[in-house]
Amino acid sequence: LDTGATITTDSRGALVLRPLTNGRPSLAGQGKGWRGAYWLPLNTAHWQNYTLRVTITNLGSEGSGGSATVVVGHTEKHVGYAVSISAARITIQNQNGGHIFSGVIPAATSHRMSVTLAQQLRVSIDGSSIATFPVGKVQGGIGVGVYKPTSSSNLPFFTDLWVGRS
């Protein structure tokens, strides 16, 4: 990861990114804010034409505020395309952080996300195509993150992460 840390998982194999409390990863029911992990940009700068799939769970009920983000095309110079979901909403941002898509998805506490970066950015949720945008040749690796607006917001988890060539 870009921080030099390694990824650890819980006893069920779920990747857990906890927002910070006093500068340390919070325990369940604590912390608020953003916490992200990015695969080392220098090692993934030439990644292109790939698909990332992941299951995101524990999103909470609609309106609970917790969200999860998958980033593709992340380099030292570009933050990448960010695809963020909550229980019932999706937002996509371009490499400059500008919103390029917002929409509604079927309300659920768990969603399976697929993001392909290969001349186009293609996003599917639970097997349904949500959005496709032409992006040209984009290179760079991946990241994942969670956001909790309050300490009582649900903390999303990532499972079944898969990355492969498109």
Side-chain angles (χ1 to χ4, degrees), residues 2 8 28-29 38 50 53 55 59 62 65 69 71 89 108-109 111 117 119 126 139 146 150-151 153 155 162:
D2 65 352
T8 57
Y38 302 86
Y50 63 89
R53 292 185 197 120
T55 299
L59 287 166
E62 184 175 354
T69 299
V71 177
R89 305 239 357 120
T109 58
H111 290 290
L117 187 63
Q119 299 293 323
D126 302 325
Q139 296 182 168
V146 296
T150 69
S151 60
S153 297
L155 177 63
W162 178 91

Side-chain angles (χ1 to χ4, degrees), residues 90-107:
I90 183 170
T91 302
I92 303 172
Q93 293 178 311
N94 64 20
Q95 289 185 308
N96 298 318
H99 286 336
I100 58 174
F101 181 83
S102 291
V104 175
I105 56 178

Side-chain angles (χ1 to χ4, degrees), residues 5 8 21 31 40-41 45-46 50 60 62 67 80 86 93 98 107-108 112 115 122 133 136 139 141 144 146 159 162:
T8 57
T21 299
L40 190 64
H46 298 293
Y50 63 89
E62 184 175 354
S67 64
S86 64
Q93 293 178 311
R112 181 80 177 146
V115 181
R122 291 189 310 268
F133 300 96
Q139 296 182 168
V144 292
V146 296
T159 61
W162 178 91

Side-chain angles (χ1 to χ4, degrees), residues 39 44 46-54 70-73 112-120 122 138 140-142 160-166:
W39 272 254
T44 61
H46 298 293
W47 284 20
Q48 59 183 357
N49 301 324
Y50 63 89
T51 298
L52 178 149
R53 292 185 197 120
V54 66
V70 168
V71 177
V72 295
R112 181 80 177 146
M113 181 188 295
S114 176
V115 181
T116 298
L117 187 63
Q119 299 293 323
Q120 295 182 346
R122 291 189 310 268
V138 177
I142 64 170
D160 305 316
L161 177 68
W162 178 91
V163 179
R165 297 202 48 81
S166 299

